[in-house]
Amino acid sequence: MILEKPIQSLVISKNFSLGLFLSSHPILLAFVLGLFPGIFEETGRLLAFKTLLKNRKNKETAISYGIGHGCFEAMAILGMTYISFACMINSGTFVNIINQVKEKAPDQVGAYYNLADQIAKTSIFLVGASIIERVLAILLQIGLSILVFYACKDKKKFWLNNSPYFNRFYCWSKLC
């Protein structure tokens, strides 16, 4: 969030010609937006396995790293979204926020009511689909962590660590 989002915002900004080009080609825009998390997450994994976890040689390290990464992401996405809004609405805090918005920006009150209405109308099937999606994402995070772990630790797996992308970051991490 700290590194990825500002760079992503610059790339897709409509103030630059690249952003205008991408906004006129939605499939290319989706591809570029999908590359950002992949590049940043995989580079983070690579640096973690090459620096912080360089002395850990067992496969459980990769699995636990993937579980931690995936579960933190699931808690941040599902937990912060659904639980925080539900608590705000149930405790009456949301009403207080709407009252404050009425005083400061009365033209935006409708947007807050629409948000509350959308949350209230969220079906259990949508929540269930979100949970299933996060479980699949956790499994993907585990798999990607195992892949990067073996690329860093097992020199016999030449197809994993002979890519130019890997070698650039491997050489950089050796300098640190």
Side-chain angles (χ1 to χ4, degrees), residues 11-58:
V11 169
I12 64 172
S13 171
K14 296 193 180 186
N15 296 335
F16 297 109
S17 57
L18 179 62
L20 290 171
F21 176 76
L22 290 174
S23 65
S24 64
H25 297 85
I27 293 175
L28 188 58
L29 176 66
F31 179 74
V32 169
L33 291 177
L35 279 177
F36 273 96
I39 290 170
F40 279 89
E41 288 185 22
E42 299 315 307
T43 303
R45 280 186 180 92
L46 180 68
L47 293 175
F49 286 131
K50 285 293 187 182
T51 57
L52 299 173
L53 302 171
K54 66 182 173 186
N55 296 329
R56 299 190 180 234
K57 307 276 187 212
N58 54 357

Side-chain angles (χ1 to χ4, degrees), residues 56-71:
R56 299 190 180 234
K57 307 276 187 212
N58 54 357
K59 65 184 176 210
E60 289 82 8
T61 300
I63 295 169
S64 62
Y65 186 93
I67 291 170
H69 186 116
C71 289

Side-chain angles (χ1 to χ4, degrees), residues 99-121:
N99 290 335
Q100 291 174 358
V101 170
K102 280 182 187 177
E103 294 172 9
K104 296 179 182 175
D107 56 325
Q108 295 180 0
V109 172
Y112 283 87
Y113 281 121
N114 286 339
L115 177 64
D117 191 46
Q118 287 176 356
I119 293 169
K121 289 181 180 178

